[in-house]
Each structure stands twice: as C-alpha cells, then as structure tokens.
Amino acid sequence: MDLGWLSGFDWTMALGSFLVAIVVGLTGMGGGALMTPMLVTFFGVSPLAAVSSDLVASAVMKPIGSAVHYRQGTINMRLVAWLCVGSV
C-alpha cells in the first residue's frame, strides 16, 4: 500500500500539536506560549523559525477572531479604548 503523502508525516509533532490545542482550549492560554518552546526543545526547530510560525499564525487568526467577536457584539469597546491608551 502506497501512503505517499504520509511518508514524511511527523506523528510525534502532530501529537504534540494536538496536546497543545487541548491545553489552549481548556485554559485559554496562548498557543504560542506553549507551541514555540515545544518546537525548539523537543523537535529541534530553530528559535527564529518557531517564533516566525507563531507570528504568521497570529497574523491570520487574530483579525478573524476579532471580526467574529465584533459582529457578535461581545467586545467592550470602552475597555479596548483604555487598553489602547495604556499601550501607547
């Protein structure tokens, strides 16, 4: 049986990613805080590549998540304004 696309699949990384996703779902903790150290420590990914992958994922997911919450009206815009003032 030829499993072509599975020949280069890293099952341990997939399992690690799945466990990170479970922890993020249960706790709400950012995935980058868990996934980046795991990639560097256990899988030998260079720190630059690990951080870059987190930034790319965040650049895609955060605006989409923000738009969904905005449409549902679940954002406290007054609090957002104060957070913006505090960050500047």
Side-chain angles (χ1 to χ4, degrees), residues 53-68:
S53 68
D54 180 46
L55 292 175
V56 169
S58 293
V60 172
M61 290 186 279
K62 290 185 182 201
I64 294 171
S66 297
V68 169

Side-chain angles (χ1 to χ4, degrees), residues 25-53:
L26 291 173
T27 65
M29 182 178 177
L34 298 170
M35 192 66 170
T36 302
M38 183 186 77
L39 287 171
V40 173
T41 305
F42 298 119
F43 297 106
V45 175
S46 75
L48 182 61
V51 171
S52 298
S53 68

Side-chain angles (χ1 to χ4, degrees), residues 4 16 22-23 25 40 42 44 51 53-54 62 70 82 84 87-88:
I22 295 296
V23 171
V40 173
F42 298 119
V51 171
S53 68
D54 180 46
K62 290 185 182 201
Y70 185 77
W82 278 110
C84 290
S87 70
V88 171

Side-chain angles (χ1 to χ4, degrees), residues 67-78:
V68 169
H69 281 286
Y70 185 77
R71 273 198 345 222
Q72 292 178 351
T74 57
I75 297 175
N76 181 342
M77 293 305 283
R78 183 176 160 102

